Amino acid sequence: MAAPSQSNPDHEDVDREDDIDEEDFFIEEDEVLEIVEDDGDHPMDEDDDNEEAPGTENGDDATYEDTSIQNFSSHKSSVFTVAAHPSQPLAASGGEDDLGYIWNVLTGEEVVKLMGHTDSVSTVAWSFDGEMVSTGGMDGKVRIWRRVGKDDWTRWEFLTELQGPDEVMWLRWHPKGTVLLAGSNDSTVWLWQLPSGNTMQVFAGHEAPVQAGIFTADGKRVVTGDGSGTLILWDPRSPTPVWKMTPLSARFGMEGGITAITSNPSSTVVVVGGAEGEVRVVNLAKGEVVGVLEGHQQGESVEAAEFVDWGTGTAGTAGFAVTGATDGKIHVWDMSTYKLRATLSHDDSITSINPHPLSTGKGNLVTSASSDKTLKTWDTRTGDLLKEHKGHRGPVLGASIGSFEDNVYALSAGDDGACLVFDAKL
Protein backbone atom coordinates (compact mmCIF):
# COMPACT_ATOMS: atom_id res chain seq x y z
CA MET A 1 0.00 0.00 0.00
CA ALA A 2 1.11 3.54 -0.51
CA ALA A 3 2.99 4.95 2.43
CA PRO A 4 1.84 8.32 3.74
CA SER A 5 4.63 10.79 4.11
CA GLN A 6 6.15 11.19 7.55
CA SER A 7 7.35 14.57 8.68
CA ASN A 8 8.71 15.67 11.99
CA PRO A 9 6.87 18.60 13.59
CA ASP A 10 8.86 21.75 13.98
CA HIS A 11 9.58 22.60 17.56
CA GLU A 12 10.45 26.15 18.54
CA ASP A 13 11.45 27.14 22.03
CA VAL A 14 10.70 30.83 22.37
CA ASP A 15 12.28 32.58 25.33
CA ARG A 16 10.37 35.65 26.39
CA GLU A 17 12.02 38.11 28.69
CA ASP A 18 10.68 41.41 29.98
CA ASP A 19 12.80 44.45 29.34
CA ILE A 20 14.30 45.03 32.76
CA ASP A 21 16.87 47.65 33.55
CA GLU A 22 19.67 45.72 35.20
CA GLU A 23 21.02 48.76 37.17
CA ASP A 24 21.38 48.27 40.89
CA PHE A 25 18.83 50.29 42.86
CA PHE A 26 19.65 51.83 46.25
CA ILE A 27 17.43 53.58 48.80
CA GLU A 28 18.99 56.51 50.58
CA GLU A 29 18.39 56.90 54.28
CA ASP A 30 16.37 60.13 53.82
CA GLU A 31 13.98 58.29 51.42
CA VAL A 32 12.74 55.88 54.12
CA LEU A 33 9.13 56.81 54.95
CA GLU A 34 8.36 54.46 57.83
CA ILE A 35 9.91 51.62 59.76
CA VAL A 36 7.47 48.75 60.47
CA GLU A 37 8.22 46.49 63.41
CA ASP A 38 8.01 42.73 62.97
CA ASP A 39 5.01 41.58 64.98
CA GLY A 40 5.19 37.88 64.20
CA ASP A 41 3.98 35.51 61.48
CA HIS A 42 1.31 36.55 59.01
CA PRO A 43 -1.00 34.26 57.03
CA MET A 44 0.34 33.32 53.61
CA ASP A 45 -1.60 33.96 50.45
CA GLU A 46 -3.27 30.87 49.07
CA ASP A 47 -1.12 31.15 45.95
CA ASP A 48 2.06 31.24 48.04
CA ASP A 49 1.00 28.11 49.86
CA ASN A 50 0.77 26.18 46.58
CA GLU A 51 4.19 27.18 45.32
CA GLU A 52 6.89 24.52 45.23
CA ALA A 53 10.58 25.12 45.43
CA PRO A 54 12.51 24.55 42.21
CA GLY A 55 13.41 20.91 41.73
CA THR A 56 10.66 19.61 44.01
CA GLU A 57 7.94 18.91 41.43
CA ASN A 58 5.53 16.06 42.11
CA GLY A 59 6.37 16.13 45.79
CA ASP A 60 10.04 15.24 45.37
CA ASP A 61 12.36 16.68 47.96
CA ALA A 62 15.56 18.60 47.48
CA THR A 63 17.63 15.38 47.42
CA TYR A 64 16.41 14.57 43.90
CA GLU A 65 19.27 13.05 41.88
CA ASP A 66 19.59 12.58 38.13
CA THR A 67 22.34 10.28 36.85
CA SER A 68 21.01 10.05 33.28
CA ILE A 69 23.24 11.02 30.35
CA GLN A 70 20.41 11.90 27.96
CA ASN A 71 16.63 12.27 27.89
CA PHE A 72 13.71 12.31 25.48
CA SER A 73 10.78 14.49 26.51
CA SER A 74 8.34 14.61 23.56
CA HIS A 75 5.72 12.42 25.23
CA LYS A 76 3.03 14.49 26.95
CA SER A 77 1.98 11.94 29.57
CA SER A 78 2.98 8.52 30.94
CA VAL A 79 5.36 6.46 28.81
CA PHE A 80 4.47 2.78 29.00
CA THR A 81 7.09 1.12 26.82
CA VAL A 82 10.57 1.62 25.37
CA ALA A 83 12.73 -0.63 23.19
CA ALA A 84 16.37 -0.28 22.11
CA HIS A 85 17.23 -0.84 18.45
CA PRO A 86 19.19 -4.09 17.96
CA SER A 87 22.22 -2.41 16.35
CA GLN A 88 21.85 1.39 16.15
CA PRO A 89 21.68 4.19 18.76
CA LEU A 90 17.91 4.44 18.38
CA ALA A 91 14.95 3.80 20.65
CA ALA A 92 11.22 3.40 20.12
CA SER A 93 8.76 4.44 22.80
CA GLY A 94 5.00 4.59 23.26
CA GLY A 95 2.69 6.17 25.76
CA GLU A 96 -0.61 7.42 27.08
CA ASP A 97 -0.59 10.30 24.58
CA ASP A 98 -1.54 7.81 21.80
CA LEU A 99 1.85 8.34 20.15
CA GLY A 100 5.01 6.42 19.45
CA TYR A 101 8.40 7.86 18.62
CA ILE A 102 11.71 6.78 17.19
CA TRP A 103 14.47 8.86 18.80
CA ASN A 104 18.24 9.07 18.98
CA VAL A 105 19.62 7.89 22.32
CA LEU A 106 22.90 9.81 21.91
CA THR A 107 21.31 13.21 21.25
CA GLY A 108 17.79 12.82 22.64
CA GLU A 109 16.44 14.14 19.33
CA GLU A 110 13.22 12.95 17.71
CA VAL A 111 13.75 10.97 14.50
CA VAL A 112 10.09 10.37 13.59
CA LYS A 113 6.72 10.58 15.28
CA LEU A 114 4.71 7.34 14.96
CA MET A 115 1.11 8.49 14.61
CA GLY A 116 -2.21 6.84 13.85
CA HIS A 117 -3.33 5.34 17.16
CA THR A 118 -6.52 6.53 18.83
CA ASP A 119 -5.69 5.18 22.29
CA SER A 120 -2.59 4.56 24.37
CA VAL A 121 0.41 2.91 22.72
CA SER A 122 1.07 0.08 25.16
CA THR A 123 3.85 -1.83 23.41
CA VAL A 124 6.59 -1.27 20.82
CA ALA A 125 9.02 -3.75 19.27
CA TRP A 126 11.78 -3.85 16.64
CA SER A 127 12.16 -6.61 14.06
CA PHE A 128 15.21 -8.82 14.54
CA ASP A 129 17.25 -6.81 12.01
CA GLY A 130 15.92 -3.42 13.09
CA GLU A 131 14.54 -2.64 9.62
CA MET A 132 10.95 -2.44 10.92
CA VAL A 133 9.31 -1.23 14.11
CA SER A 134 5.83 -2.07 15.39
CA THR A 135 3.49 -0.26 17.75
CA GLY A 136 0.53 -1.85 19.50
CA GLY A 137 -2.29 0.07 21.13
CA MET A 138 -5.28 -0.19 23.38
CA ASP A 139 -7.27 0.72 20.25
CA GLY A 140 -6.52 -2.76 18.86
CA LYS A 141 -4.27 -1.45 16.10
CA VAL A 142 -0.83 -2.78 15.23
CA ARG A 143 1.05 -0.30 13.03
CA ILE A 144 4.29 -1.01 11.19
CA TRP A 145 6.99 1.37 9.96
CA ARG A 146 10.10 0.49 7.94
CA ARG A 147 13.39 2.14 7.13
CA VAL A 148 13.67 4.00 3.81
CA GLY A 149 16.80 3.16 1.83
CA LYS A 150 20.09 1.81 3.14
CA ASP A 151 22.10 5.02 3.54
CA ASP A 152 21.19 5.92 7.11
CA TRP A 153 18.65 5.31 9.88
CA THR A 154 16.91 8.70 9.91
CA ARG A 155 14.26 8.09 7.24
CA TRP A 156 11.24 5.90 8.02
CA GLU A 157 7.91 5.33 6.28
CA PHE A 158 4.58 3.94 7.39
CA LEU A 159 4.12 0.46 5.95
CA THR A 160 0.78 -0.99 7.04
CA GLU A 161 -1.79 -1.29 9.79
CA LEU A 162 -2.70 -4.73 11.06
CA GLN A 163 -6.14 -5.21 12.55
CA GLY A 164 -7.77 -8.05 14.41
CA PRO A 165 -7.13 -7.82 18.16
CA ASP A 166 -9.50 -5.93 20.43
CA GLU A 167 -6.73 -4.50 22.60
CA VAL A 168 -3.05 -5.27 22.02
CA MET A 169 -1.34 -6.48 25.18
CA TRP A 170 2.13 -7.35 23.79
CA LEU A 171 4.11 -7.73 20.57
CA ARG A 172 6.94 -10.16 19.75
CA TRP A 173 8.94 -10.42 16.53
CA HIS A 174 10.32 -13.76 15.37
CA PRO A 175 14.00 -14.01 16.39
CA LYS A 176 15.14 -14.74 12.83
CA GLY A 177 12.41 -13.54 10.46
CA THR A 178 9.88 -10.82 9.67
CA VAL A 179 6.95 -12.49 11.44
CA LEU A 180 5.07 -10.64 14.19
CA LEU A 181 3.11 -12.14 17.10
CA ALA A 182 0.51 -10.25 19.17
CA GLY A 183 -1.57 -11.09 22.22
CA SER A 184 -4.99 -9.57 22.83
CA ASN A 185 -7.34 -9.03 25.74
CA ASP A 186 -10.09 -10.76 23.71
CA SER A 187 -8.35 -14.17 24.24
CA THR A 188 -6.89 -14.37 20.71
CA VAL A 189 -3.29 -14.47 19.49
CA TRP A 190 -2.40 -13.15 16.02
CA LEU A 191 0.49 -14.03 13.73
CA TRP A 192 1.32 -11.89 10.66
CA GLN A 193 3.85 -12.08 7.84
CA LEU A 194 5.63 -8.81 7.01
CA PRO A 195 6.04 -6.76 4.91
CA SER A 196 2.89 -8.13 3.19
CA GLY A 197 0.79 -7.85 6.35
CA ASN A 198 -0.89 -11.19 5.60
CA THR A 199 -2.44 -13.03 8.55
CA MET A 200 -0.66 -16.36 9.03
CA GLN A 201 -2.65 -17.65 12.02
CA VAL A 202 -5.27 -16.64 14.54
CA PHE A 203 -4.74 -18.83 17.60
CA ALA A 204 -8.05 -19.23 19.43
CA GLY A 205 -7.51 -21.60 22.33
CA HIS A 206 -7.62 -19.22 25.29
CA GLU A 207 -10.65 -18.11 27.28
CA ALA A 208 -9.19 -15.02 28.98
CA PRO A 209 -6.91 -12.08 28.08
CA VAL A 210 -3.60 -13.37 26.73
CA GLN A 211 -1.25 -11.56 29.09
CA ALA A 212 2.06 -13.13 28.06
CA GLY A 213 3.54 -14.77 25.00
CA ILE A 214 6.83 -15.54 23.27
CA PHE A 215 8.51 -17.28 20.40
CA THR A 216 10.84 -19.95 21.75
CA ALA A 217 14.50 -19.00 21.34
CA ASP A 218 14.84 -21.12 18.19
CA GLY A 219 11.71 -19.54 16.69
CA LYS A 220 10.03 -22.90 16.06
CA ARG A 221 7.25 -22.69 18.65
CA VAL A 222 4.95 -20.11 20.27
CA VAL A 223 4.05 -20.22 23.97
CA THR A 224 1.17 -18.13 25.37
CA GLY A 225 -0.44 -17.68 28.78
CA ASP A 226 -3.71 -16.07 29.84
CA GLY A 227 -5.49 -14.52 32.78
CA SER A 228 -7.22 -17.76 33.72
CA GLY A 229 -3.93 -19.62 34.17
CA THR A 230 -3.93 -21.55 30.88
CA LEU A 231 -0.59 -22.13 29.10
CA ILE A 232 -0.58 -23.26 25.45
CA LEU A 233 2.20 -24.43 23.13
CA TRP A 234 1.58 -23.73 19.42
CA ASP A 235 3.19 -24.75 16.16
CA PRO A 236 3.09 -21.54 14.06
CA ARG A 237 1.96 -23.59 11.07
CA SER A 238 -1.21 -24.85 12.78
CA PRO A 239 -4.15 -23.21 14.60
CA THR A 240 -4.48 -26.28 16.85
CA PRO A 241 -2.58 -26.34 20.18
CA VAL A 242 0.28 -28.81 20.53
CA TRP A 243 -0.67 -29.08 24.18
CA LYS A 244 -2.53 -27.07 26.82
CA MET A 245 -1.99 -26.78 30.58
CA THR A 246 -4.55 -25.38 33.03
CA PRO A 247 -4.53 -24.65 36.79
CA LEU A 248 -5.77 -28.22 37.24
CA SER A 249 -2.69 -29.71 35.56
CA ALA A 250 -0.34 -31.50 37.94
CA ARG A 251 1.80 -29.09 40.02
CA PHE A 252 0.95 -26.17 37.72
CA GLY A 253 -1.50 -24.05 39.69
CA MET A 254 -1.56 -20.48 38.28
CA GLU A 255 -5.17 -19.92 39.38
CA GLY A 256 -4.61 -16.16 39.41
CA GLY A 257 -3.39 -16.07 35.82
CA ILE A 258 -0.10 -16.12 33.91
CA THR A 259 1.87 -12.88 33.79
CA ALA A 260 5.34 -13.75 32.43
CA ILE A 261 6.97 -16.38 30.17
CA THR A 262 10.57 -16.90 29.02
CA SER A 263 12.30 -19.66 27.07
CA ASN A 264 15.76 -21.06 27.72
CA PRO A 265 18.34 -20.68 24.90
CA SER A 266 17.98 -24.31 23.83
CA SER A 267 14.15 -24.04 23.66
CA THR A 268 13.59 -27.09 25.85
CA VAL A 269 11.86 -25.44 28.82
CA VAL A 270 9.98 -22.26 29.70
CA VAL A 271 9.83 -20.46 33.02
CA VAL A 272 6.28 -19.27 33.73
CA GLY A 273 5.35 -16.62 36.30
CA GLY A 274 1.93 -16.12 37.85
CA ALA A 275 -0.18 -13.37 39.38
CA GLU A 276 -0.04 -15.03 42.81
CA GLY A 277 3.76 -15.33 42.98
CA GLU A 278 4.05 -18.79 41.45
CA VAL A 279 7.00 -19.72 39.24
CA ARG A 280 6.96 -23.01 37.30
CA VAL A 281 9.43 -24.67 34.93
CA VAL A 282 7.64 -26.49 32.10
CA ASN A 283 9.18 -29.05 29.73
CA LEU A 284 8.13 -28.09 26.21
CA ALA A 285 8.41 -31.56 24.72
CA LYS A 286 6.09 -33.13 27.29
CA GLY A 287 3.95 -30.26 28.54
CA GLU A 288 4.79 -31.15 32.13
CA VAL A 289 5.97 -29.20 35.16
CA VAL A 290 9.55 -30.20 35.94
CA GLY A 291 10.35 -27.56 38.54
CA VAL A 292 8.57 -25.45 41.16
CA LEU A 293 10.51 -22.31 42.11
CA GLU A 294 9.39 -20.97 45.47
CA GLY A 295 10.63 -17.61 46.65
CA HIS A 296 8.32 -14.75 45.75
CA GLN A 297 5.78 -13.63 48.30
CA GLN A 298 2.39 -15.27 47.89
CA GLY A 299 -0.10 -12.94 46.27
CA GLU A 300 2.58 -10.79 44.59
CA SER A 301 2.52 -10.90 40.80
CA VAL A 302 5.59 -12.07 38.87
CA GLU A 303 5.99 -9.25 36.34
CA ALA A 304 9.20 -10.30 34.56
CA ALA A 305 11.12 -13.48 33.73
CA GLU A 306 14.32 -13.84 31.71
CA PHE A 307 17.13 -16.31 31.12
CA VAL A 308 20.67 -14.98 31.47
CA ASP A 309 23.71 -16.23 29.59
CA TRP A 310 26.92 -16.05 31.58
CA GLY A 311 29.01 -16.84 28.54
CA THR A 312 30.92 -19.62 30.27
CA GLY A 313 30.90 -21.98 27.31
CA THR A 314 28.16 -24.09 28.88
CA ALA A 315 25.45 -23.61 26.26
CA GLY A 316 24.20 -27.15 26.71
CA THR A 317 23.60 -26.78 30.43
CA ALA A 318 20.42 -25.70 32.16
CA GLY A 319 21.63 -22.13 32.75
CA PHE A 320 20.15 -19.48 35.02
CA ALA A 321 16.80 -17.70 35.13
CA VAL A 322 15.78 -14.42 36.75
CA THR A 323 12.27 -13.49 37.94
CA GLY A 324 10.95 -10.23 39.36
CA ALA A 325 7.69 -9.52 41.16
CA THR A 326 5.57 -6.86 42.82
CA ASP A 327 7.16 -7.85 46.14
CA GLY A 328 10.21 -5.85 45.00
CA LYS A 329 12.37 -8.97 44.81
CA ILE A 330 14.42 -10.34 41.91
CA HIS A 331 15.36 -14.00 42.28
CA VAL A 332 18.24 -15.66 40.44
CA TRP A 333 17.59 -19.37 39.91
CA ASP A 334 20.06 -22.17 39.14
CA MET A 335 18.13 -24.15 36.54
CA SER A 336 20.20 -27.29 37.04
CA THR A 337 18.99 -27.64 40.63
CA TYR A 338 15.94 -25.32 40.69
CA LYS A 339 17.47 -23.68 43.73
CA LEU A 340 17.56 -19.99 44.59
CA ARG A 341 21.04 -18.61 43.99
CA ALA A 342 20.63 -14.92 44.90
CA THR A 343 17.97 -12.35 45.81
CA LEU A 344 18.17 -8.75 44.60
CA SER A 345 15.92 -5.99 45.94
CA HIS A 346 14.13 -2.78 45.00
CA ASP A 347 11.95 -0.71 47.32
CA ASP A 348 8.82 -1.26 45.21
CA SER A 349 7.41 -3.48 42.45
CA ILE A 350 9.68 -4.82 39.72
CA THR A 351 8.41 -3.74 36.30
CA SER A 352 11.14 -5.00 33.95
CA ILE A 353 14.28 -7.17 33.85
CA ASN A 354 16.72 -6.73 30.97
CA PRO A 355 19.72 -9.04 30.41
CA HIS A 356 22.79 -7.39 28.91
CA PRO A 357 23.70 -8.73 25.45
CA LEU A 358 26.31 -11.48 25.43
CA SER A 359 28.07 -9.44 22.71
CA THR A 360 29.06 -6.91 25.38
CA GLY A 361 31.06 -9.59 27.19
CA LYS A 362 28.82 -9.10 30.22
CA GLY A 363 26.02 -11.60 29.76
CA ASN A 364 25.92 -12.11 33.52
CA LEU A 365 24.54 -8.59 34.04
CA VAL A 366 20.91 -7.52 34.17
CA THR A 367 19.32 -4.10 34.59
CA SER A 368 16.02 -3.99 36.45
CA ALA A 369 13.35 -1.29 36.59
CA SER A 370 10.97 -0.57 39.43
CA SER A 371 8.07 1.50 40.65
CA ASP A 372 10.54 2.91 43.19
CA LYS A 373 11.64 5.36 40.42
CA THR A 374 15.02 3.69 39.83
CA LEU A 375 16.83 1.21 37.62
CA LYS A 376 19.60 -0.98 38.97
CA THR A 377 22.34 -2.97 37.24
CA TRP A 378 23.30 -6.25 38.93
CA ASP A 379 25.82 -9.06 38.59
CA THR A 380 23.66 -12.19 38.69
CA ARG A 381 26.67 -14.39 39.52
CA THR A 382 27.42 -12.62 42.79
CA GLY A 383 24.18 -10.76 43.51
CA ASP A 384 26.14 -7.50 43.74
CA LEU A 385 24.54 -4.14 42.90
CA LEU A 386 26.91 -2.49 40.42
CA LYS A 387 25.05 0.71 39.49
CA GLU A 388 21.90 2.55 40.54
CA HIS A 389 20.29 4.73 37.89
CA LYS A 390 18.22 7.70 39.09
CA GLY A 391 16.37 10.56 37.45
CA HIS A 392 12.68 9.70 37.27
CA ARG A 393 10.10 11.45 39.45
CA GLY A 394 7.61 8.59 39.21
CA PRO A 395 7.46 4.83 38.68
CA VAL A 396 9.59 3.36 35.88
CA LEU A 397 7.10 1.45 33.72
CA GLY A 398 9.46 -0.07 31.18
CA ALA A 399 13.14 -0.45 30.31
CA SER A 400 15.48 -1.83 27.67
CA ILE A 401 19.21 -2.40 27.17
CA GLY A 402 21.00 -1.28 24.02
CA SER A 403 24.57 -1.27 22.77
CA PHE A 404 26.32 0.67 20.02
CA GLU A 405 30.04 0.58 19.25
CA ASP A 406 31.66 0.71 22.69
CA ASN A 407 28.58 2.00 24.52
CA VAL A 408 26.07 0.11 26.63
CA TYR A 409 23.05 2.06 27.80
CA ALA A 410 19.87 1.48 29.77
CA LEU A 411 16.70 3.11 28.48
CA SER A 412 13.70 3.80 30.69
CA ALA A 413 10.03 4.72 30.23
CA GLY A 414 8.56 6.72 33.07
CA ASP A 415 5.12 7.41 34.48
CA ASP A 416 6.41 11.01 34.69
CA GLY A 417 6.38 11.25 30.87
CA ALA A 418 10.15 11.05 30.45
CA CYS A 419 12.42 8.59 28.69
CA LEU A 420 15.92 8.58 30.15
CA VAL A 421 19.24 7.16 28.97
CA PHE A 422 21.80 5.84 31.46
CA ASP A 423 25.37 4.67 31.04
CA ALA A 424 25.25 0.92 31.76
CA LYS A 425 28.75 -0.02 30.66
CA LEU A 426 30.77 -1.89 33.23
Side-chain angles (χ1 to χ4, degrees):
M1 63 183 285
S5 61
Q6 293 285 332
S7 61
N8 293 337
D10 294 327
H11 296 284
E12 288 190 6
D13 294 326
V14 181
D15 295 326
R16 297 178 178 174
E17 299 182 357
D18 296 330
D19 292 327
I20 299 176
D21 189 349
E22 294 184 356
E23 278 188 38
D24 292 331
F25 293 91
F26 297 92
I27 299 177
E28 300 295 339
E29 186 174 352
D30 57 3
E31 294 178 308
V32 176
L33 300 180
E34 182 181 4
I35 297 176
V36 180
E37 299 292 337
D38 182 5
D39 60 354
D41 293 336
H42 295 271
M44 295 176 62
D45 286 342
E46 190 172 329
D47 291 342
D48 294 338
D49 193 42
N50 290 331
E51 289 182 1
E52 292 182 321
T56 61
E57 294 88 345
N58 302 325
D60 287 347
D61 61 28
T63 62
Y64 168 76
E65 182 180 358
D66 186 355
T67 63
S68 66
I69 58 175
Q70 193 51 266
N71 71 87
F72 178 74
S73 57
S74 291
H75 286 285
K76 303 306 179 186
S77 52
S78 298
V79 188
F80 297 136
T81 178
V82 66
H85 190 278
S87 65
Q88 299 299 311
L90 297 174
S93 57
E96 190 179 20
D97 55 7
D98 306 348
L99 293 171
Y101 289 94
I102 298 174
W103 48 279
N104 188 302
V105 303
L106 302 180
T107 65
E109 295 177 352
E110 176 184 317
V111 175
V112 62
K113 181 186 289 187
L114 309 177
M115 300 180 291
H117 286 280
T118 57
D119 206 338
S120 299
V121 177
S122 54
T123 179
V124 296
W126 298 95
S127 60
F128 78 102
D129 57 2
E131 293 285 337
M132 288 184 281
V133 66
S134 57
T135 58
M138 295 178 68
D139 55 6
K141 298 177 182 178
V142 176
R143 292 173 64 82
I144 311 295
W145 283 260
R146 66 179 171 187
R147 181 163 72 122
V148 177
K150 299 296 182 182
D151 295 333
D152 59 40
W153 294 87
T154 62
R155 299 176 59 215
W156 296 79
E157 65 180 1
F158 175 70
L159 176 62
T160 189
E161 179 175 296
L162 309 172
Q163 294 185 331
D166 176 49
E167 177 181 320
V168 181
M169 305 196 75
W170 47 266
L171 294 171
R172 298 287 185 273
W173 285 89
H174 191 279
K176 301 174 184 176
T178 54
V179 174
L180 182 62
L181 183 70
S184 173
N185 72 331
D186 63 9
S187 79
T188 60
V189 180
W190 294 72
L191 190 67
W192 297 282
Q193 176 73 54
L194 276 302
S196 68
N198 293 333
T199 301
M200 296 175 64
Q201 294 290 351
V202 180
F203 301 118
H206 290 283
E207 297 180 358
V210 186
Q211 300 176 157
I214 60 165
F215 284 102
T216 54
D218 60 11
K220 295 180 179 180
R221 294 287 188 268
V222 169
V223 188
T224 55
D226 68 28
S228 70
T230 297
L231 184 76
I232 301 179
L233 178 70
W234 308 90
D235 182 330
R237 298 166 295 184
S238 169
T240 303
V242 177
W243 52 251
K244 179 186 293 190
M245 299 180 69
T246 73
L248 299 179
S249 301
R251 303 172 68 202
F252 191 57
M254 299 287 171
E255 288 87 352
I258 293 168
T259 51
I261 306 171
T262 187
S263 161
N264 69 337
S266 57
S267 302
T268 56
V269 300
V270 288
V271 171
V272 183
E276 298 297 325
E278 315 98 318
V279 181
R280 303 289 186 264
V281 184
V282 177
N283 181 289
L284 289 176
K286 300 178 179 180
E288 296 177 352
V289 174
V290 294
V292 175
L293 310 183
E294 296 182 340
H296 289 293
Q297 185 174 333
Q298 186 176 0
E300 298 287 352
S301 177
V302 178
E303 295 296 299
E306 297 287 346
F307 272 85
V308 291
D309 189 341
W310 289 1
T312 55
T314 54
T317 64
F320 300 87
V322 185
T323 58
T326 55
D327 58 7
K329 305 299 182 185
I330 299 167
H331 292 322
V332 182
W333 306 95
D334 185 334
M335 297 301 291
S336 62
T337 62
Y338 302 138
K339 299 296 184 182
L340 182 63
R341 182 182 178 95
T343 297
L344 324 172
S345 296
H346 276 269
D347 293 333
D348 207 334
S349 301
I350 308 302
T351 57
S352 179
I353 298 174
N354 303 273
H356 288 221
L358 189 60
S359 60
T360 64
K362 299 285 186 178
N364 54 300
L365 304 185
V366 299
T367 295
S368 55
S370 171
S371 294
D372 68 6
K373 308 178 187 179
T374 72
L375 295 87
K376 294 181 178 181
T377 297
W378 310 88
D379 186 336
T380 57
R381 291 180 302 191
T382 63
D384 291 340
L385 173 62
L386 304 180
K387 272 190 178 182
E388 186 169 12
H389 312 287
K390 299 179 179 180
H392 282 286
R393 298 183 181 275
V396 183
L397 304 180
S400 183
I401 289 291
S403 61
F404 177 69
E405 294 180 344
D406 199 34
N407 302 303
V408 181
Y409 39 81
L411 309 177
S412 59
D415 193 43
D416 55 7
C419 292
L420 300 182
V421 183
F422 300 95
D423 179 10
K425 183 179 179 180
L426 289 161

